[in-house]
Amino acid sequence: MNLLDKAGVWALDYLDAAVLHVRAVAGGWRVPAHYAHGEPGKPTIVLIPGVYERWNFLKPIADRLWEDGYPISIVHGLGYNLRPIVETSDRLTAALSRVRANPAGRIIVAHSKGGLVGKHLMLSHSDDLGVRGLVAVCTPFAGSRYAKYVLGQTLRAFSPTNDTIVLLGRNSSVNAEIVSIFGPFDPHVPDGSVLVGATNVQIPVSGHFRILHSAEAIDAAADAVRLLASRPDTRVTASAVQKTAQPTEHPDILVAAVALLRDRHVLMVRARGRDVLYMPGGKIDEGESPADAAARETREEVSVGLVPGSVHELFTVVTQAHGEPDGRQVRMVVFGGKADAEPQPSAEVSEVHWVTTADIDRCPPAGAEVLRQLAALDLID
């Protein structure tokens, strides 16, 4: 996208923001009464708008989710979301704690700063509030380098070096429960909204505000909520833990894998007797670190070592385990690294393939999600 195109996106985006503010004031902030009712068994959607926004900015998405059967909850008292992220998260937690939670749980749908508030809430109070996941639209998870050019602490708090931004970025324990939606160019989040370990969804609509009422974003948000709601609800309250100390019937399978990259392709293998493609990797042995497991499995499966200093964690994928009972999940820690030789099939592997997302149908759920994540990070085609 050239500078003229970007300038056009800026102009249209600010025009959209102005229109949304006028509509919010002219239409009032009264929440539709029917939002409180949804289909049994579907989690409640909690809306968190961005800074200088009211909940109405998310109304097109909320309307669609209500039509899909989800009850919608708007928390009053946040104003224009001008308070610091941590304080807003605490206020939101207090408000939600006063309302009996839906037995099916809650899913947060947020825009911009609202996504940062939602992630902080998930890190600090998710279990108590029954939060099953977060759908974040145009959220600056890594901050915005433009923050240093604005006046006032409200927006300068989005600096990539801000303590809260840094701490949220370092803690990835809930990233697998987040879906981040964004366009190819966001004038307010120039470095993008890709979140390592999350499900990252890029749609063909640029902008920070105008994206909110696009058909693509509305569909993507509906798909994201459906994805999060379909996952097993593994979150339990402290009281529930006290009532049952029995182990889970199907504990997660913990594995580590390595993404070896070449010419925007990633290496995958076909195990002997199998008809699908896997990432080089395997189960983490007791007492073994994920990085050590990834290196060991790479040697065993494709006969290469990893160049010292090249190994770095990329993300974690959590999804249904292939060939296992429904509800049993695989938790795969994926590392990047450089091979010290040409990968070759081993006794465990019959073939090696350099693949892209075009091969996603040949992969089990975890492998398919890895390809999506690598593409979202612009590492493969």
Side-chain angles (χ1 to χ4, degrees):
M1 182 178 288
N2 59 41
L3 288 176
L4 185 60
D5 290 336
K6 289 183 178 180
V9 172
W10 272 89
L12 290 174
D13 213 44
Y14 278 114
L15 177 61
D16 267 48
V19 171
L20 288 169
H21 276 295
V22 170
R23 286 179 178 174
V25 174
W29 298 310
R30 181 174 298 175
V31 179
H34 60 260
Y35 271 11
H37 308 288
E39 296 176 11
K42 290 197 171 183
T44 297
I45 305 301
V46 178
L47 303 181
I48 310 179
V51 65
Y52 293 114
E53 297 175 14
R54 292 283 188 168
W55 74 267
N56 308 63
F57 277 61
L58 287 163
K59 189 175 187 299
I61 294 175
D63 286 344
R64 167 63 181 276
L65 294 175
W66 181 81
E67 290 172 359
D68 287 348
Y70 299 94
I72 310 295
S73 175
I74 288 92
V75 177
H76 298 284
L78 299 182
Y80 280 97
N81 199 358
L82 304 181
R83 296 180 178 85
I85 292 167
V86 175
E87 182 181 344
T88 303
S89 172
D90 291 341
R91 290 172 66 90
L92 187 61
T93 296
L96 293 176
S97 298
R98 292 193 290 268
V99 181
R100 188 170 63 179
N102 181 342
R106 294 172 165 126
I107 292 176
I108 296 170
V109 174
H111 177 235
S112 193
K113 175 188 175 182
L116 298 172
V117 174
K119 181 176 179 179
H120 183 273
L121 184 149
M122 291 175 67
L123 288 169
S124 55
H125 301 289
S126 184
D127 290 349
D128 296 335
L129 298 175
V131 177
R132 298 176 60 176
L134 162 67
V135 179
V137 183
C138 299
T139 290
F141 287 109
S144 173
R145 63 175 184 262
Y146 292 159
K148 62 184 179 182
Y149 300 116
V150 299
L151 299 175
Q153 288 303 309
T154 298
L155 296 179
R156 291 180 71 88
F158 296 114
S159 167
T161 59
N162 176 272
D163 288 345
T164 301
I165 297 293
V166 172
L167 289 173
L168 287 175
R170 286 177 178 171
N171 195 328
S172 61
S173 60
V174 298
N175 287 9
E177 298 153 22
I178 296 174
V179 179
S180 180
I181 300 170
F182 49 86
F185 171 65
D186 185 330
H188 295 273
V189 190
D191 297 316
S193 296
V194 170
L195 179 65
V196 173
T199 299
N200 295 289
V201 180
Q202 180 172 314
I203 62 174
V205 180
S206 291
H208 190 73
F209 300 106
R210 60 196 299 259
I211 195 173
L212 290 172
H213 58 80
S214 70
E216 293 86 350
I218 294 170
D219 287 344
D223 290 343
V225 167
R226 192 178 305 112
L227 171 68
L228 295 173
S230 69
R231 292 176 178 173
D233 186 3
T234 58
R235 298 191 176 278
V236 293
T237 62
S239 60
V241 172
Q242 294 171 358
K243 290 178 182 178
T244 172
Q246 298 178 357
T248 58
E249 183 179 356
H250 301 302
D252 289 354
I253 301 172
L254 306 179
V255 303
V258 173
L260 299 175
L261 303 171
R262 175 188 293 173
D263 299 327
R264 298 189 62 80
H265 290 63
V266 65
L267 184 75
M268 298 190 82
V269 302
R270 187 171 71 83
R272 298 189 185 279
R274 300 291 187 94
D275 59 356
V276 295
L277 298 177
Y278 294 91
M279 295 293 297
K283 292 183 180 179
I284 302 171
D285 291 339
E286 185 174 354
E288 187 177 37
S289 73
D292 288 342
R296 173 181 55 77
E297 290 285 349
T298 303
R299 287 193 302 272
E300 294 174 358
E301 294 190 354
V302 293
S303 307
V304 299
L306 298 176
V307 175
S310 72
V311 180
H312 57 285
E313 185 174 339
L314 290 173
F315 48 78
T316 299
V317 166
V318 181
T319 188
Q320 170 67 37
H322 181 62
E324 296 289 335
D326 287 347
R328 189 172 196 191
Q329 295 186 313
V330 61
R331 186 175 293 269
M332 178 189 292
V333 185
V334 181
F335 293 86
K338 294 182 179 179
D340 61 6
E342 182 67 20
Q344 301 288 339
S346 68
E348 300 178 5
V349 170
S350 61
E351 299 171 358
V352 297
H353 297 267
W354 294 95
V355 307
T356 68
T357 52
D359 302 285
I360 205 165
D361 291 339
R362 303 170 63 192
C363 304
E369 184 59 28
V370 169
L371 294 184
R372 295 188 189 98
Q373 299 281 5
L374 292 173
L377 293 172
D378 199 30
L379 295 175
I380 65 172
D381 291 329

